[in-house]
Amino acid sequence: MKYAGKKNGIKYISNDSPKPQTDKLTAAQVVSRRKERESAKADEQNNMILRIIGMLFIMFQAVVTAILIVTLLNLGILPDKYLVVISVILAVLLGIGIAIQLIFKKKNAVRNIGMVLSALVSIILIIGSVYLSKTNTVIEQIADNDKNYSTYDVVILSADKASDIQETADYTFGTCSNFNKDSYPEVISELNKRLKVTASTQDYVSAFAQVDALYGGEVDAVIYEHSFQDTISEQYTDYESKIKVIDQIKIENSASVTANQVDVLAEPFIVFISGNDQWGEVTMGGRSDVNILVCVNPSTQQILLVTVPRDYYVNFVGLDDPTVMDKLTHAGIYGVDVQINTLENLFDCDINYFMQVNFTSIVDIVDAVGGITVNNQYAFETDYVDGYGFTFPEGEITLTGEEALWYCRERHHLEDGDLGRGRHQQEVIEGILNKVTSASAIMNYDKLLDAVSNCMITNMPKSQMTEFMKYQLEFNPKWHLFKTQALGDVDYMPSYAAGGQYLSVVLPYESSVEYISDLVAKISGSSELMDEEMDFIPEEMLTEASDEG
């Protein structure tokens, strides 16, 4: 539309329309609008940052979810159905987190809640992954361990001024090479390296003969397997005060203990538990205070515990001399393989796996589960060591780790001596099993992992251990536990490890050995054990009672 106008007295025609009249903005309004635009821009930037942070939370949750699932798969103890359920739950939680971030783009409060939930889930997953990874590490640490190490003490008299092994370079060392003949040359070789000279040695028939030579001045030092220390101390009451260990030599024995593997979910198997009388790091061999055969039949869901007295006088199998007779506790001095061979020969069975523990194991495991409960048949006191001991009342009692150790070691003050000790060992094992399989074990899981990792080794492969755990979790079988002991009569017989010296032993009752052999054969077959079969009295005991009558 054309517009006519006049400017400075001159008429003109324009094609432009007049601009509408608008009110001018005040300075305050300009500032306000500028702030609104800046605020909107800042809000958009904040939303973008929150979206990025939210997605980072989701990505982190996805990563830790994947780590947890991979750790579970690597551990291998979770049944497939539980693994599927856990995977679905984790996927749903991840999906909810993603949905919150994508759907509620402009609702910061909702997104913030989503991020908090994602963070909490991630923290829980991280903690779970750490514990699962630790569990896997512990299983790998104790499983499939067939290495056989021996520690040898280098001992001199306490009055000797030597304080370092190199100060004994000109000494004569008393040795006993008939023990672990395969490894003794390596011991002497290592001694020579430390002395930086070829050591002068004098060989003896037993550790006791070595000590007599040291006391009598025939030699300046002696070298023997560490597990002999307690055996020597029992015969020489002043021994620990008269000697000092100046050095120790640790070597790997040539013979390993290979597992006789079976399908632990389908076939019966036997585990030999050996508890040596040592503290600290668990090593294979040594004098065994605990000798228990754990016979497991997964088909019948039955377990048989067979306790063999430490002083059981048996034929050692696996030494150069096949006629050697000695206490079972001394078999461990020559290696776990000799213990296993000896027990297999005694009960005519095949032992598939072994498990080695020591004094520290008992204390740590019992304390880790928060103590155990046992039913003590009668009150008794223990020996006093270093000025203190324990008194155990009759009836149901709760034991700490140290109390449990004393409870299952004492025999001198028991009415039935070594047999009573064997019964107490079974009670402690049963108490530990009850605690480990209870709901309260979850509360002590971390402590239990630490305890087991430091004080137990076995030659059972990890794959079989995890398969058995998976079976327990999936089917929760109701195991029926049977317990029995090898019985015999106390006497004095020559000890091979003691150089022929007569020591207190338990002579096996033939009928007891046959009875246990039959039980082991039965549970290792397709037959089920019956409770009434546990009520066994050896013929020899009946005959003795009849003669006394």
Side-chain angles (χ1 to χ4, degrees):
M1 181 176 93
K2 293 183 178 181
Y3 171 77
K6 180 187 285 188
K7 187 175 182 181
N8 297 327
I10 301 174
K11 295 181 180 179
Y12 66 89
I13 299 174
S14 174
N15 292 323
D16 295 332
S17 301
K19 295 181 179 179
Q21 297 294 319
T22 58
D23 296 332
K24 291 185 178 180
L25 297 176
T26 65
Q29 288 175 322
V30 172
V31 171
S32 176
R33 290 193 177 185
R34 184 186 304 123
K35 287 183 177 180
E36 288 177 358
R37 289 193 298 270
E38 291 175 352
S39 177
K41 185 177 181 180
D43 287 342
E44 184 60 30
Q45 290 177 342
N46 288 337
N47 285 335
M48 179 62 69
I49 293 173
L50 286 176
R51 283 198 295 272
I52 293 173
I53 293 175
M55 293 312 297
L56 288 175
F57 269 89
I58 293 301
M59 291 172 62
F60 183 73
Q61 182 182 341
V63 170
V64 294
T65 297
I67 291 175
L68 181 70
I69 293 175
V70 170
T71 305
L72 282 171
L73 290 171
N74 187 41
L75 184 59
I77 67 172
L78 200 65
D80 293 341
K81 61 182 181 182
Y82 295 150
L83 187 60
V84 169
V85 171
I86 290 176
S87 299
V88 169
I89 292 174
L90 293 178
V92 169
L93 290 174
L94 185 61
I96 291 174
I98 294 174
I100 289 176
Q101 297 303 319
L102 294 179
I103 295 174
F104 300 96
K105 294 181 178 181
K106 297 184 178 181
K107 295 185 178 181
N108 291 344
V110 177
R111 284 214 310 266
N112 290 340
I113 293 174
M115 285 188 287
V116 171
L117 291 176
S118 180
L120 290 175
V121 171
S122 298
I123 291 172
I124 294 173
L125 294 179
I126 291 172
I127 294 173
S129 297
V130 169
Y131 274 101
L132 289 172
S133 179
K134 185 174 181 179
T135 301
N136 189 54
T137 300
V138 169
I139 294 175
E140 289 181 341
Q141 183 175 334
I142 67 175
D144 204 13
N145 191 338
D146 61 356
K147 298 296 184 182
N148 194 348
Y149 294 93
S150 292
T151 300
Y152 290 81
D153 292 341
V154 182
V155 176
I156 60 177
L157 292 174
S158 57
D160 196 311
K161 294 183 179 179
S163 59
D164 184 84
I165 187 65
Q166 293 185 355
E167 296 177 18
T168 66
D170 59 346
Y171 283 17
T172 298
F173 293 84
T175 61
C176 186
S177 60
N178 65 320
F179 297 117
N180 295 330
K181 291 182 179 180
D182 293 336
S183 60
Y184 225 86
E186 188 176 347
V187 176
I188 301 303
S189 176
E190 179 61 26
L191 176 65
N192 292 338
K193 288 180 182 179
R194 298 184 186 188
L195 295 176
K196 298 181 180 180
V197 298
T198 300
S200 172
T201 61
Q202 177 65 46
D203 208 42
Y204 294 91
V205 297
S206 71
F208 294 146
Q210 287 178 280
V211 175
D212 289 337
L214 180 64
Y215 279 6
E218 295 179 21
V219 296
D220 305 296
V222 294
I223 305 174
Y224 51 71
E225 214 277 336
H226 177 72
S227 58
F228 273 107
Q229 179 82 16
D230 288 336
T231 302
I232 296 171
S233 297
E234 289 178 357
Q235 300 300 316
Y236 300 84
T237 55
D238 62 346
Y239 184 69
E240 293 187 5
S241 63
K242 294 189 67 173
I243 61 98
K244 59 183 178 182
V245 178
I246 196 172
D247 201 2
Q248 287 187 321
I249 299 173
K250 183 177 180 180
I251 64 168
E252 181 180 344
N253 296 328
S254 58
S256 62
V257 185
T258 304
N260 179 16
Q261 297 187 33
V262 296
D263 183 351
V264 295
L265 301 186
E267 303 175 59
F269 60 94
I270 300 176
V271 180
F272 168 51
I273 299 179
S274 174
N276 63 34
D277 58 352
Q278 297 176 18
W279 294 92
E281 180 186 2
V282 176
T283 57
M284 289 174 56
R287 297 195 320 172
S288 54
D289 265 16
V290 177
N291 302 279
I292 297 178
L293 296 181
V294 183
C295 311
V296 182
N297 190 321
S299 298
T300 61
Q301 297 182 0
Q302 293 185 327
I303 298 176
L304 172 66
L305 297 183
V306 179
T307 301
V308 186
R310 69 187 295 277
D311 292 341
Y312 227 43
Y313 197 65
V314 293
N315 175 216
F316 284 6
V317 179
L319 301 180
D320 291 339
D321 184 355
T323 65
V324 169
M325 299 288 295
D326 204 342
K327 297 181 177 186
L328 179 60
T329 184
H330 290 163
I333 295 172
Y334 307 98
V336 175
D337 53 327
V338 175
Q339 290 176 289
I340 291 175
N341 293 338
T342 297
L343 289 169
E344 287 182 333
N345 179 66
L346 181 64
F347 297 120
D348 189 23
C349 65
D350 292 323
I351 295 174
N352 304 95
Y353 312 101
F354 81 86
M355 181 179 293
Q356 186 80 55
V357 296
N358 64 7
F359 287 168
T360 304
S361 307
I362 301 297
V363 175
D364 289 351
I365 292 175
V366 172
D367 283 340
V369 298
I372 60 172
T373 300
V374 298
N375 191 5
N376 188 23
Q377 287 192 7
Y378 54 82
F380 68 92
E381 294 183 352
T382 67
D383 287 331
Y384 277 72
V385 178
D386 296 330
Y388 76 98
F390 291 91
T391 299
F392 297 105
E394 180 181 351
E396 188 175 281
I397 54 176
T398 300
L399 306 175
T400 64
E402 188 175 9
E403 290 169 344
L405 175 63
W406 284 68
Y407 184 79
C408 65
R409 285 201 70 201
E410 179 59 41
R411 75 180 190 275
H412 295 132
H413 294 83
L414 300 182
E415 297 174 4
D416 42 0
D418 210 21
L419 301 179
R421 174 165 62 176
R423 183 180 65 253
H424 290 167
Q425 291 171 358
Q426 291 179 338
E427 291 170 356
V428 168
I429 290 177
E430 188 174 4
I432 292 173
L433 289 175
N434 289 338
K435 264 304 186 69
V436 169
T437 55
S438 68
S440 63
I442 303 243
M443 304 300 296
N444 301 303
Y445 186 70
D446 192 41
K447 293 180 180 178
L448 185 58
L449 281 181
D450 289 336
V452 171
S453 66
N454 295 325
C455 58
M456 182 185 299
I457 55 177
T458 178
N459 64 346
M460 178 179 282
K462 177 193 172 185
S463 59
Q464 294 187 325
M465 292 181 66
T466 53
E467 282 297 317
F468 196 76
M469 293 177 188
K470 182 188 291 186
Y471 170 78
Q472 183 69 32
L473 287 172
E474 184 167 7
F475 299 104
N476 191 25
K478 305 301 180 183
W479 295 99
H480 191 165
L481 183 65
F482 298 91
K483 297 178 290 186
T484 190
Q485 295 186 69
L487 304 175
D489 195 21
V490 177
D491 203 342
Y492 282 84
M493 297 296 290
S495 166
Y496 176 74
Q501 183 173 345
Y502 276 68
L503 302 178
S504 176
V505 303
V506 176
L507 294 177
Y509 288 145
E510 184 177 342
S511 63
S512 178
V513 173
E514 291 178 355
Y515 164 71
I516 291 175
S517 300
D518 290 341
L519 289 181
V520 172
K522 190 171 184 179
I523 197 172
S524 299
S526 57
S527 302
E528 292 190 21
L529 296 179
M530 307 300 291
D531 289 326
E532 52 268 23
E533 292 182 270
M534 298 299 106
D535 299 327
F536 171 77
I537 300 177
E539 296 176 4
E540 294 86 345
M541 293 180 66
L542 294 174
T543 302
E544 290 174 3
S546 177
D547 292 342
E548 292 177 1

